[in-house]
Amino acid sequence: MKKQEYDIIEVNHERCTGCRDCVEACPSPLANFVHTTESGKKVIDIDPDYCIACGECVKRCKHGGRDYNDDTERFFRDLGDRRIVIIAHPSIKLAFGDKWQAVLRWFQQNGASGIYDGSWGADIATWCYIKNIDQGTKKVISTHCPAVVRYMEVYHPDSIKNVSTVHSPISCEAVYVRDDVKKNYAVAALTPCPAMSLEFAETEHVEYNVTFKRLKEHFMRKRIEFKPISDSPTLYDYDDMSQGLMGGMYPFPAGLRSAITQNDLTIPVINSDGIDNVYREIEEYLSAPEDKQADIFEALSCGGGCGMGIGSYDEDDCTTLQMKTLGRIVESDARSRRKTNLSGTDRQFKLFEDRLNPKSLVRKFEDLREKPSKERIRENRDELEAFFAALESENAPSPAAETAPAAPAPAAAPVSEQQAETTAEIAQTAVKLKKITETIVSDVSDIREKMGSIDNTNTQSASMAGIIENILSKVIVLCQANESIDAESLPQLIIILDKLQNATISLKNNLTESKDNAAVLSDAVNAMSAAADELSSDVDHLILTVAKK
């Protein structure tokens, strides 16, 4: 297995309280371990070699002690400087609601070299699954959940034959774009799942994993807002005009099963989703007699499907009921657009048969580690239990404090000099906090004002650019209509060029004003950042002071 360049799941030891919720939620028995720091303190850390990046610990942590990493920042740094095509995971409809088409349109207008549908890649994957079944490859676990695939690679390398060799939908689409569309560019995938970085590192089909959550955060920081641009909840004008069909169901539980059974009802497919079910049922599936195993076991780590992943789900954007409703809409739309020829063959699958090389869609599992022993798993579990037991013992009140009779409340003692100094310090800090807060509010107000000014200036600049373009087109027409400029045409040309000069001067002035406003905006942002840093420092100091008191 090729290792990811960065740790996908990370621990913030400053925020970790040792509540053990993350460890109890984790389905990977060796992902969490007790680590001793240089100062001698024992903490819980993550072993990236055994973490399956399902993100369940991030969901469960209530203290901000765990988070994830992806490629969003690197992607935006490179966008515009490189040729990058974008593949949109089907769950983008859940992540951005009725604005998902506007998000893709923004990328088309801001440097992307092409926008492609991950649902089309999912349809390719469905075609491959059915083709493999027809050729005798059965009793397999699906591969479109990277956390499940990594679980099998780490804990069941001896049963890797039970993992399908069909690439995930995103990788299938990446191969399609490279081999069929003939765009051998860097690929960025917009996804709901940090764990997809594991797959992309292994297959090398995708360079950037841009999760929806980080994408939303980027747009928010840049004050980029979207409005719906389409009345259709399912359709978009992708670059190659390849709009997926039943592949759009893959993010939903039993999505693969729905896609397969639409084409072949004879293939037995079962499904499971959610960490409380799927990993236990994977163990049951592997240990079952072959005649009791379904031909395909569709397994999703996130309960409710990909739309509930840590890189996507936001209760404010889409409720569980809305997710289910959208799933039915996607399915109904796909069935209505599906076409077959006179013999009943799916036309889309016929296209795949004619244009795709199945060998390029096969995933290979190589360089797998030895299966961890039960003894090692048990030892790690015991170390974790001992760590939490020691932590609970440290935080528990002493027996003497629990059994001693309650002492009568002492009379109010006079305030000591130290207490008075502490109280005065707290009061002074509070006043300072108030002033800093007022500064931040003032800076934010200034930013909004300048943003409005910049927007107006940019609008005027765009208008001037349109005028210049129109004038230039007239010059070109005039020159094309006259093989040589005669005495009558010359004055007309001079008038047109004079207008062009005036428009250029106006545009230059507008751009200068925009630059000046941008400088003011930058200063305001820097001031706000400095004030925020100072506020954070004072808050920390105030907390420590109160704690000492």
Side-chain angles (χ1 to χ4, degrees):
M1 296 183 295
K2 292 183 180 179
K3 192 173 181 179
Q4 179 63 30
E5 294 181 356
Y6 52 82
D7 294 340
I8 297 176
I9 307 297
E10 64 180 8
V11 180
N12 184 332
H13 295 298
E14 298 297 323
R15 294 186 175 183
C16 178
T17 64
C19 70
R20 74 189 293 162
D21 284 353
C22 56
V23 175
E24 290 182 347
C26 181
S28 176
L30 291 176
N32 299 278
F33 71 102
V34 180
H35 170 64
T36 304
T37 65
E38 293 181 357
S39 63
K41 179 182 178 182
K42 288 189 175 182
V43 296
I44 297 296
D45 227 325
I46 296 175
D47 188 339
D49 289 338
Y50 291 96
C51 175
I52 64 174
C54 66
E56 198 64 29
C57 60
V58 180
K59 292 182 185 178
R60 298 291 181 91
C61 182
K62 305 178 183 67
H63 313 289
R66 298 217 172 181
D67 205 350
Y68 74 87
N69 298 301
D70 69 0
D71 302 302
T72 300
E73 291 186 9
R74 183 169 63 89
F75 164 72
F76 277 107
R77 285 198 303 269
D78 294 349
L79 184 64
D81 295 334
R82 300 183 64 190
R83 286 187 170 183
I84 303 176
V85 297
I86 290 175
I87 298 174
H89 191 278
S91 62
I92 190 173
K93 304 176 185 67
L94 296 169
F96 287 95
D98 59 1
K99 303 177 184 66
W100 68 273
Q101 295 106 324
V103 173
L104 296 183
R105 180 69 53 82
W106 184 90
F107 279 112
Q108 282 183 314
Q109 297 171 346
N110 287 273
S113 299
I115 308 291
Y116 298 91
D117 186 12
S119 300
W120 184 263
D123 289 329
I124 294 174
T126 302
W127 171 68
C128 289
Y129 276 108
I130 295 175
K131 194 175 185 67
N132 286 355
I133 293 291
D134 292 342
Q135 294 175 353
T137 304
K138 304 179 180 181
K139 318 303 181 186
V140 295
I141 297 170
S142 63
T143 55
H144 58 291
C145 177
V148 167
V149 172
R150 177 50 60 96
Y151 180 84
M152 290 296 298
E153 288 178 316
V154 171
Y155 294 104
H156 291 286
D158 52 340
S159 299
I160 205 68
K161 63 180 178 59
N162 290 104
V163 178
S164 174
T165 57
V166 176
H167 272 306
S168 74
I170 295 295
S171 287
C172 285
E173 182 66 12
V175 172
Y176 167 78
V177 171
R178 182 195 67 198
D179 295 349
D180 195 74
V181 182
K182 305 300 182 184
K183 282 191 176 182
N184 192 15
Y185 303 159
V187 177
L190 311 183
T191 81
C193 180
M196 286 191 175
S197 297
L198 296 172
E199 173 197 336
F200 299 158
E202 286 191 23
T203 64
E204 298 183 334
H205 289 143
V206 177
E207 187 169 337
Y208 306 92
N209 182 24
V210 182
T211 60
F212 297 133
K213 181 178 179 180
R214 296 291 184 254
L215 191 55
K216 293 176 187 177
E217 292 170 355
H218 174 84
F219 288 142
M220 185 176 298
R221 286 194 303 271
K222 298 296 183 180
R223 295 182 178 273
I224 299 172
E225 298 180 353
F226 299 96
K227 295 180 180 179
I229 63 172
S230 174
D231 294 331
S232 171
T234 59
L235 302 179
Y236 182 73
D237 184 19
Y238 291 98
D239 278 62
D240 63 339
M241 304 302 292
S242 296
Q243 177 88 43
L245 296 173
M246 285 297 289
M249 288 296 295
Y250 267 58
F252 303 94
L256 171 60
R257 185 176 69 180
S258 298
I260 287 180
T261 55
Q262 177 182 249
N263 291 276
D264 191 336
L265 289 171
T266 66
I267 298 176
V269 184
I270 60 173
N271 70 283
S272 180
D273 63 282
I275 64 159
D276 294 333
N277 301 315
V278 68
Y279 296 103
R280 170 176 50 81
E281 292 177 4
I282 285 175
E283 301 294 334
E284 294 173 359
Y285 181 80
L286 294 175
S287 61
E290 189 170 315
D291 61 343
K292 301 296 183 183
Q293 293 176 327
D295 283 350
I296 299 175
F297 180 13
E298 177 187 1
L300 298 177
S301 187
C302 290
C306 302
M308 304 293 283
I310 59 167
S312 174
Y313 182 61
D314 189 337
E315 292 181 350
D316 295 332
D317 290 339
C318 189
T319 66
T320 304
L321 181 60
Q322 289 171 329
M323 289 183 183
K324 293 179 179 179
T325 301
L326 180 59
R328 300 286 74 78
I329 292 173
V330 170
E331 181 177 13
S332 176
D333 170 72
R335 292 184 185 278
S336 68
R337 289 188 293 111
R338 180 176 182 249
K339 306 295 182 183
T340 58
N341 56 26
L342 294 177
S343 64
T345 302
D346 188 296
R347 290 186 182 179
Q348 185 192 43
F349 282 12
K350 181 64 168 59
L351 181 148
F352 296 157
E353 196 75 45
D354 294 340
R355 292 166 57 176
L356 300 180
N357 177 10
K359 293 182 179 179
S360 66
L361 301 166
V362 174
R363 180 171 180 178
K364 298 179 181 179
F365 299 96
E366 300 173 331
D367 301 323
L368 301 182
R369 290 188 299 270
E370 184 179 350
K371 180 178 180 178
S373 65
K374 293 181 179 179
E375 290 75 16
R376 182 179 177 186
I377 292 175
R378 183 172 58 252
E379 289 173 1
N380 190 64
R381 183 179 65 242
D382 292 343
E383 288 180 6
L384 289 170
E385 288 298 329
F387 169 83
F388 287 118
L391 193 64
E392 291 171 1
S393 177
E394 290 177 8
N395 296 331
S398 64
E402 292 182 351
T403 58
V415 177
S416 67
E417 183 178 346
Q418 182 180 358
Q419 288 175 319
E421 290 177 357
T422 301
T423 302
E425 185 177 357
I426 292 174
Q428 290 174 2
T429 305
V431 172
K432 194 173 183 180
L433 288 175
K434 183 178 180 181
K435 289 181 179 179
I436 294 174
T437 304
E438 290 173 350
T439 301
I440 292 176
V441 172
S442 175
D443 283 333
V444 170
S445 177
D446 190 25
I447 288 172
R448 289 176 177 172
E449 180 181 349
K450 296 303 178 183
M451 285 294 292
S453 176
I454 289 174
D455 288 342
N456 292 333
T457 301
N458 288 340
T459 300
Q460 294 172 8
S461 298
S463 177
M464 286 296 114
I467 294 172
I468 291 174
E469 183 180 8
N470 184 46
I471 293 173
L472 285 173
S473 66
K474 290 180 179 179
V475 173
I476 292 171
V477 170
L478 177 63
C479 292
Q480 289 176 339
N482 296 273
E483 295 182 0
S484 62
I485 302 298
D486 54 28
E488 294 181 359
S489 300
L490 186 58
Q492 183 180 357
L493 179 59
I494 291 174
I495 292 173
I496 293 175
L497 292 175
D498 185 54
K499 290 182 178 180
L500 175 61
Q501 183 182 29
N502 291 334
T504 303
I505 292 172
S506 179
L507 176 59
K508 180 180 179 180
N509 291 336
N510 278 322
L511 291 175
T512 300
E513 182 182 348
S514 178
K515 181 179 179 181
D516 292 341
N517 284 333
V520 174
L521 175 60
S522 177
D523 291 342
V525 170
N526 291 337
M528 184 176 68
S529 177
D533 290 341
E534 190 174 355
L535 174 61
S536 176
S537 177
D538 282 326
V539 168
D540 291 341
H541 180 68
L542 180 60
I543 292 172
L544 289 173
T545 302
V546 173
K548 290 178 180 177
K549 180 182 177 182

